[in-house]
Each structure stands twice: as C-alpha cells, then as structure tokens.
Amino acid sequence: MQPNGYRPESCFWSEVINNLPDGFWSYDRSLKESFRSDAWFALRGLDKSEHLHTSRAAQLARIHPNDLSNVLQATRKLMLDGACDVQFREQHADGHWIFIRSQARVTERDENGKPIRIIGTDSDVSQLEQTQSSLEELNKLKFRWLHSMDSEMHGMWDIDNAANIRYFSKGWRLIRGLPADHPGVTSSSDLLNRVHTLDHAALMKSMDAVERGELDQFFYEYRDKHADGHWIWILSRGQVVSRNPDGKPTRIIGTDTDITHLKQLGNQYDDVSKRLELAIRTSGFGVWEFNIDTQTVTWDRQMYAMYGIPDGDQQKSRTIWEDSLHPDDYDEIVEASAISMRDRVDFDLSYRIIRGDGVMRHLRSTGHYFTDAQGVDKLIGINWDTTREHEQAEALREANEKAVEQNAALEAARAEMEYQSNHDALTDLPNRRMLERYLKNARDRRVENKMRSAVLHIDLDRFKQINDTLGHAAGDAVLRHVADILRSAATPNCIVARVGGDEFAVFLDHAPHNALLGYWARSIIQESKRPFMYEGHECRFGLSIGIATDDHLLMDDTALFSNADLALYRAKEDGRGQLHFYTADLKTAALARRQCADDMLIALDEGQFQCVYQPQYDCKTLEIVGAEALVRWDHPTRGRLTPDAFLDVAEDLDIVAKIDQIVFEQALKDSTRWRAAGKYVPQISVNVSAKRLLDPMLAMRISHLADEEQNFAFELLESVFLDDADDNLATNLDCIRKLGIAIEVDDFGTGHASMVGLLNLRPDRLKIDRQLVMPLVRSQQQRRLVASIIEIGHVLGISVVAEGVETQEHVNVLASLGCDFLQGYGLARPMGVDDIQELLPNL
C-alpha cells in the first residue's frame, strides 16, 4: 500500500515497476492522471512515445469483439466491488491476437465511496492459453479416437508387465458382450480358455514368436467365445513397445476388431463363387477376357474345349479366335469386333468356326466393354455353342414349308371353328354369343332408322318329362324340331337363336305392332302343340313366350332381354303354353321380389326365422318317433310365411344354407329345453341344402354334435344329391355317419335318382313324397307304386316314411303296405316348441 500522493513516475518505484515483466498501470481520478509501465507497452508491441496518451476508447477498440462485453462487465465489477480479474484477447501492434490477463483493485475512495485511485497489472498469457488449448484438443482427439474405436467395434488393449497394468477398453468388452466391470484377460492361459480349440495352435505359435523376439508387430485371427455363448471372429493386431534386457516384451499395445461379419461375407462369397463356377461349367458357356491395350486374350478351359484345342496347346493370343473363324464369316466378324473395340461398345455376334479337329460349329459371342480397377480397357464376354439351335431352326424351316401347304386346310378349319363357336351344335341355330354380337350392331341400326324392335324369349313346356321318360336323345330331337319350327316362322328381319338348354330367343330388327306380333307368336305356339313322333313315341310339348318391345328406342339390349324374361316368367305362371307381353306391372312384381330379398337379409340379422316341428309317428303304434324341424318366417308386416313364399328368393340370394343352419341350431337348443323339462324326441330331422352339404367346412361346423345327447337326421333332396359324385359330398356324408347322424332322402319318387345312386348313398330312411301318397286311397296303380317303393326300401334295409298322410284311410292303407313311419296333417300339423312339448314322451 503506497502513501497518499504516490506517483510511480516520480519516485523510486517507477524504475522498479518499469522493470517488472508484467505491464503495470494506474489511474488517479483526483489528479486526472494515468500511468502505464514500459512492460505494458511492450507486451502490446506499442511505441511508448506514440501511444503514451492513448484514450480509453482507443484501447477498447483493440479488444476482440467477442471479449468486449466481459471487459466492460469486469470494469463495472471493479467500480462496485473494488477488484476484478478478467482475461481477454487484444490485437497486437503487428496484427495478431494476444491473450491478456488483467487484475485490478481500487486503492482509495472518496467520502461518497467513488473510486479515486485504481492500480492493476496486465500479463501476457498467450502461451499458457495455447498450451491449455492444445491439452483440450488432445483430450478431444483422445475422446474421439476412443469413441471411434468403441463405435466401430474395435477394442484397445495395453499389457504393461513392467508396471503390472492391464488395460482393456470399453470396445474390447463390447465386442465380446462383457460387462463394463469385467477385468479382461488376466493371463495367457486365460486368453486360451476363451479361444476356440481349433485356433490354439496358430495363436500359440504367434505368441511364442513375440516372446522370443522374432516378432515386434503381429496380427492373427481367432475365434473368441461371446458372452451369450456363440463364437465371434477376432482380428488382433499388436506392437511390442518395449522389451527388457533379456529381450522379453515388457509392454505390448494393440487392437481387437470383430470381423465375424466379414468372415460370413467371405464364406458367402466363396459359396457364390462356387455356384457361379458350377453354373458356368454346367451351362456350357465359355468365358473370355480381352485386354485392348496389350491385344491379349484370356480363355477359360471351356473356351479351349469349345474350339477343340487340347490343354497342352493352350495359348493366350488373339489369333486363336481369328484363325478359327469360318472363311465365309471372317471379314464380317473381324470388322464388327474392330468396331466394338474402337467405339468401346458391347457386341453380340453369331458366327461359325472350324474347330481344331476340323468340325464346324455355330457359336454366339457376347462382349461387354469395361475399365478395370487399374484403368485398363477390357472386353469380357461369354461364348456358347448354338449348333443344335441352328439344326433345330433348319428343321423348323422344313416344317414351315409343310405348314404352308396346309394353310388352306387350316383356314378352312378355322372358318369351321368360327362357325361352330357362333352356332349351337345341336340345332345349328346361332348361339348366345352370335346373338349378342348381332344385337350390338342392330341397336345402332334401329336407332339410326327409328325401327321398333322386339325380343321373344321362348321356353319349352314339359321338356323335362320327355327327357326323363324317353331319354336325352328324344329331348335332343325335340329341340331340333323346335328349331325347325322357329326357323320356318322367321322373317327376313329377325334372328333365331338357342340361348340355353331348352330356351330360345327371337330378335326382330323391325317389329310390327303388338297385335300382329302376338298373332305371329301364337301361331308358333299352336305349331308346337302338334304331336311330334320320335321312334314311334308321340312327344307332346308346348311353348311359353315372353315378349318385350322397345317402342321408344331408348332401351339397351340387356334391359330388353330382362323385360322379355319377366314376361316369360308371367306366361309360365299363367299356365304355360301362353304368351305374355311385358308391362310395367311385371317390373313392379320384380321389385316386390327384390323387396322380399332385402327383407330376407334383414330377417337373417334380426332373427325373424323361427322353427316349428311336425311330429312323425310309428305306423303300427302311432307313437311319436321323431319330428321334422321346419322353418317359418315371422315377417314384420306380412305375418308368418311358409317356405313356399320365400324359398325361391332365398335360393337366388344363396342363403338357403344359412337358413338351414338357423333351423339346426334352434332345434339343438329346443331339444336341450325339452330334456330339461323331462321330455324328449327320439330323432329330429332337419333339411340340408345342396350348398351346405357341399360345404368343405361342414365337418368342422357340426363336429360338436358328437357330444350332444339328441339324435339328428339330415334330409337330402333325392333330385339333387342321390347321384352326385362330388368329393366334398362324399367326405361330408362320411363325417355325418361317423357323428351318428341319420341320413334321409326327402321327396323320394319325384326325382331322377338311379338305384345305383341309392345303393351308394346308403340312407337310413326314404320319405315318399306326398304327391305319391295322397292319391293311393283311390288309385290301385298309385297304391302298387307306393308298395314297390316300400319293398325296395326294406330290401335295402332302409326304413320308409310316408308324407302327406291326411286321413285315417291313409293310415290303414300304409300300415297294410308295411310302411314304417307316418307324417302329415291328418296326424299333426307343424307346431311351436311349447305345443309339441306337450305331446312328447317322458324321459
């Protein structure tokens, strides 16, 4: 602490201060004087005489912009606290930046506490800062290096035997799956314990060479066991850093790298190379490479074999190829090759060669231009022998000459095929395909010429009976007869076509008014009613006709046919042998049918289909032996409907199988309810539709029945199933039998099943259709027919159920005929679950 009035430049201290290595400065506010030592100017490279009175603003201007705020903040701290210590960059006189550490303190204040005198020192700390920066940079590099080693799955190790230190990096442990606190390898034996036994010998050999001083730098590959038990490949590289006077290594530093993936890639590459080599060898391709700079060629063995050159005569010269070229191909091929090399483009050439053994062969050669890794321009390619292909091509040319001779015959055959594809083979009438093509062209004509058109959709009546009684040959004769009738009645402006099995269509390009059109159609119907003789048999049939016209020229062909189809449907409903013109009310009826379909889909979702039961009785004792489960539709507006009101619509919607399933599930639930009430029904019969019986998943859907106490029977329609040879049907029938479910043939006697089909099906019951049962009380012929069916059933070991039992006389007659079971309104009508429960026997 200096006395008041101290002035450095005028006392002994001035010389001392000027000789200090640090720059000294002071400021006296009362005297308005400042002092800077010689060292202050020297460390900044300033001339004292020129910068003695440098202002504070000029001094601040030399401070680095990034450090100026720190300096100003330190100045404010000095004024308030009386001391500061700040480091900043200031520009030296020669332009470079120096780091200055400035320390200052207030030595005297006035009565208001404002600083009067301030003293301080400035020190050049640039070298210290550079050293510190170098250390920080070195630490950063060290961090980056270690991080890189770890992230790239490299492990560093340092074995210092002199200092008894063993260091293993984080990466060394990571590649082996070891925890961070694992000590690493503690000894040579410890290392060998980790290494695969197949790698011990090579590893020990390398370690012994290092120990003997034969190696200072080394690397070797070995398999190390990962922490999870699998083997990983390690590439270990090391350097002996120091040895003791005996030559023994005292310190070794190295790195370990996980090369498992590289090993796997190498193995894959070897496999691919072997497969490629095998593929080339088995394909017969020869591989060659041509060095454009040296004009030399390299061939593989298959190339020499292709050219008929023995192994001992193999050369590596371009002349092999040129000398072997066929003389007739030489100029063209050599020129094409030269162009490829000149323009550096790929080529694909076919030519002939004369092999070394004198045999001529056809070859094909493809070449690809490329520049290899050393910058050498090359062509690489393959050759293959195409002699067989050329021989086959020659044979094909000969065959083609013969084919030309057959063109006329083929053209005639094509014309015949075209005719056949557009005509019905049986009647020789145009078929649906030709009719649709004709209609497409006709529509444009009738619109252009404003011609009224019409479609007659014709269906044969009683055609099925003719087929069933007289056979298909008779049916075919009838169809040809109908075609002749329609062909004879046709006018020049119409086309007659067969569009289905027993369906025909007549399209009139320029149709007359409805009265004349109806008269013409009735004449066709009348003509069809004339008896037709076939092999001495009188065949009687009729025609039903639906007619639709396009009066406004707005209707497309599809709509026109659709309307004619609706009219035909009504004609059949009117009693067959009739004709009917399309009217709007038919469309209404069709819409009602569609509404029924929509309602039915809703009914499925809302559970409107219910189950009723009609009892079946023993013919002798009249005891209940079973019940048939029947479906009813509780329609929200139309009331309870029987199947005849909706079944045909259900078939169109393809939901009959779903309805069958609903009935089946309800019957299963009701039988459980009856048993709970102490009642039971010996057997419940449910109908099974074609769709459901052919379902490949049926076996799985009913497999749970094996655990049920109730006996079931599936009723199959004779006309649909008895002669069906479908694989799914056979499989499902086997499954049904294995589950203990009886099989019944419904409506027997009205279908077309053969006795062979009946034997194949092996049903448990036959149900005689009510159409055969009802008239038997007054018809001896009908009674004999029913008796025959019963006898057939009993001969085959099949029980017989008679449907349509209406009177006691029916019961008596059927009992006398030996019928087994009865069902009909005369015994009991279909009833609900509660009503039939009262009739059922007790358990």
Side-chain angles (χ1 to χ4, degrees), residues 409-423 428:
L410 289 175
E411 181 61 26
R414 186 201 64 78
E416 178 65 21
M417 289 176 61
E418 178 68 18
Y419 182 87
Q420 294 297 334
S421 67
N422 289 305
H423 288 76
D428 202 34

Side-chain angles (χ1 to χ4, degrees), residues 419-549:
Y419 182 87
Q420 294 297 334
S421 67
N422 289 305
H423 288 76
D424 174 51
L426 178 65
T427 63
D428 202 34
L429 288 176
N431 57 19
R432 181 182 290 273
R433 176 187 177 194
M434 185 174 178
L435 179 63
E436 290 175 350
R437 184 184 304 171
Y438 179 86
L439 294 180
K440 182 177 181 182
N441 298 326
R443 186 179 190 283
D444 296 336
R445 290 198 305 273
R446 72 174 184 268
V447 171
E448 181 180 354
N449 300 319
K450 298 182 179 180
M451 298 185 301
R452 179 175 184 262
S453 59
V455 169
L456 279 69
H457 195 177
I458 304 169
D459 186 76
L460 272 68
D461 300 328
R462 299 188 71 251
F463 179 71
K464 184 176 183 300
Q465 286 84 345
I466 294 174
N467 255 342
D468 292 344
T469 57
L470 299 179
H472 292 291
D476 290 346
V478 169
L479 292 174
R480 284 192 292 268
H481 176 64
V482 172
D484 291 338
I485 293 174
L486 297 177
R487 194 181 286 113
S488 299
T491 62
N493 65 328
C494 73
I495 180 173
V496 180
R498 183 187 177 196
V499 295
D502 60 346
E503 295 181 29
F504 296 83
V506 179
F507 177 79
L508 289 86
D509 232 355
H510 192 183
H513 55 78
N514 283 2
L516 184 57
L517 189 60
Y519 175 81
W520 181 63
R522 287 189 186 91
S523 69
I524 295 175
I525 293 175
Q526 287 302 119
E527 182 64 26
S528 71
K529 290 181 179 180
R530 295 177 183 272
F532 169 68
M533 299 302 297
Y534 174 75
E535 295 184 351
H537 298 282
E538 188 178 80
C539 300
R540 291 186 176 274
F541 63 92
L543 298 179
S544 296
I545 303 178
I547 306 174
T549 60

Side-chain angles (χ1 to χ4, degrees), residues 463-699:
F463 179 71
K464 184 176 183 300
Q465 286 84 345
I466 294 174
N467 255 342
D468 292 344
T469 57
L470 299 179
H472 292 291
D476 290 346
V478 169
L479 292 174
R480 284 192 292 268
H481 176 64
V482 172
D484 291 338
I485 293 174
L486 297 177
R487 194 181 286 113
S488 299
T491 62
N493 65 328
C494 73
I495 180 173
V496 180
R498 183 187 177 196
V499 295
D502 60 346
E503 295 181 29
F504 296 83
V506 179
F507 177 79
L508 289 86
D509 232 355
H510 192 183
H513 55 78
N514 283 2
L516 184 57
L517 189 60
Y519 175 81
W520 181 63
R522 287 189 186 91
S523 69
I524 295 175
I525 293 175
Q526 287 302 119
E527 182 64 26
S528 71
K529 290 181 179 180
R530 295 177 183 272
F532 169 68
M533 299 302 297
Y534 174 75
E535 295 184 351
H537 298 282
E538 188 178 80
C539 300
R540 291 186 176 274
F541 63 92
L543 298 179
S544 296
I545 303 178
I547 306 174
T549 60
D550 183 10
D551 296 314
H552 303 291
L553 308 177
L554 300 175
M555 195 171 299
D556 61 31
D557 305 322
T558 303
L560 195 59
F561 265 94
S562 176
N563 290 347
D565 188 57
L566 290 174
L568 175 62
Y569 185 78
R570 176 57 61 87
K572 285 182 171 293
E573 284 188 338
D574 290 346
R576 304 180 184 276
Q578 304 291 326
L579 69 84
H580 202 286
F581 279 89
Y582 170 79
T583 56
D585 63 325
L586 296 182
K587 181 77 74 174
T588 302
L591 292 175
R593 186 178 178 88
R594 189 176 70 182
Q595 182 63 50
C596 178
D598 294 341
D599 292 347
M600 193 172 295
L601 294 176
I602 296 173
L604 284 176
D605 294 335
E606 296 184 354
Q608 295 176 12
F609 290 103
Q610 302 298 324
C611 191
V612 297
Y613 301 90
Q614 186 172 26
Q616 297 172 335
Y617 295 87
D618 186 282
C619 188
K620 296 178 181 178
T621 65
L622 293 184
E623 295 178 350
I624 292 179
V625 293
E628 181 179 0
L630 303 169
V631 67
R632 296 293 185 266
W633 181 6
D634 288 339
H635 195 281
T637 59
R638 298 170 61 189
R640 173 162 285 192
L641 304 177
T642 56
D644 59 307
F646 60 83
L647 194 58
D648 56 341
V649 178
E651 289 175 348
D652 292 341
L653 292 174
D654 197 22
I655 61 171
V656 176
K658 293 183 179 179
I659 295 176
D660 286 352
Q661 181 67 18
I662 291 173
V663 172
F664 177 73
E665 292 176 355
Q666 185 63 49
L668 190 61
K669 186 185 301 182
D670 291 342
S671 69
T672 302
R673 173 181 172 182
W674 294 331
R675 286 184 177 276
K679 300 282 188 174
Y680 84 103
V681 58
Q683 178 175 285
I684 298 177
S685 300
V686 294
N687 291 291
V688 179
S689 64
K691 185 77 173 179
R692 188 154 180 252
L693 194 63
L694 296 175
D695 180 5
M697 303 298 292
L698 178 63

Side-chain angles (χ1 to χ4, degrees), residues 153-154 175-176 194-200 202-203 220-226 230-236 255-267:
M153 297 304 285
H154 296 296
I175 63 179
R176 292 167 169 83
R194 300 184 56 84
V195 175
H196 198 287
T197 54
L198 295 179
D199 300 330
H200 278 188
L203 183 59
Y220 42 82
E221 298 175 0
Y222 63 90
R223 281 162 288 190
D224 200 335
K225 180 166 285 188
H226 193 272
H230 75 279
W231 293 101
I232 59 173
W233 278 95
I234 299 293
L235 171 61
S236 185
T255 60
D256 286 358
T257 305
D258 186 346
I259 60 170
T260 306
H261 182 60
L262 293 178
K263 281 287 188 179
Q264 292 171 346
L265 290 178
N267 292 336

Side-chain angles (χ1 to χ4, degrees), residues 46 172 268 343 497 521 532 653 787:
L46 301 175
W172 189 94
Q268 292 173 5
D343 298 340
F532 169 68
L653 292 174

